[in-house]
Amino acid sequence: MRSAAILLTCILFSYVQGVAIVTKSRCLCKDAGLNVISHKAIEKIEVYYASSSCQHMELIVTLNNGGEQRCLNLKSKFAKNFIKNLKREKR
């Protein structure tokens, strides 16, 4: 009887480990973001690639005045050019 209980416990633990846990999206950008921003206003641009916590790529711009962070709209011409140049640099 004891071996049956141990076997049942092992089966349950192996099932629980295989179950996918669905979490809420932890994306940094909550809206579409900026379409255009002056190059002079940008201190740095951070690229966050799609991951298990956020299913899409994000571009976060840190501004010179006060370090405020803003999201870039990935569909904008500005962001598309940045991504294209980034891919070109990686080659």
Side-chain angles (χ1 to χ4, degrees):
M1 180 69 176
R2 182 176 173 164
S3 62
I6 293 172
L7 178 63
L8 181 61
T9 304
C10 290
I11 291 171
L12 287 175
F13 278 125
S14 65
Y15 174 74
V16 170
Q17 288 177 348
V19 175
I21 299 172
V22 179
T23 59
K24 290 185 177 181
S25 178
R26 302 248 183 225
C27 297
L28 299 171
C29 298
K30 304 299 179 196
D31 59 4
L34 301 172
N35 288 324
V36 178
I37 189 164
S38 169
H39 290 283
K40 294 176 184 176
I42 298 173
E43 182 178 323
K44 68 178 179 176
I45 298 178
E46 297 174 276
V47 179
Y48 293 94
Y49 293 97
S51 66
S52 59
S53 61
C54 182
Q55 283 68 37
H56 59 275
M57 186 170 118
E58 296 179 306
L59 293 176
I60 311 292
V61 176
T62 303
L63 304 176
N64 286 331
N65 56 352
E68 180 184 359
Q69 292 186 322
R70 303 293 305 263
C71 295
L72 287 179
N73 184 352
L74 293 176
K75 295 179 181 177
S76 71
K77 188 175 182 180
F78 181 84
K80 286 181 181 180
N81 284 335
F82 178 79
I83 294 167
K84 184 171 62 174
N85 291 336
L86 185 67
K87 287 180 181 178
R88 187 179 300 141
E89 287 176 11
K90 283 190 172 186
R91 288 187 204 157

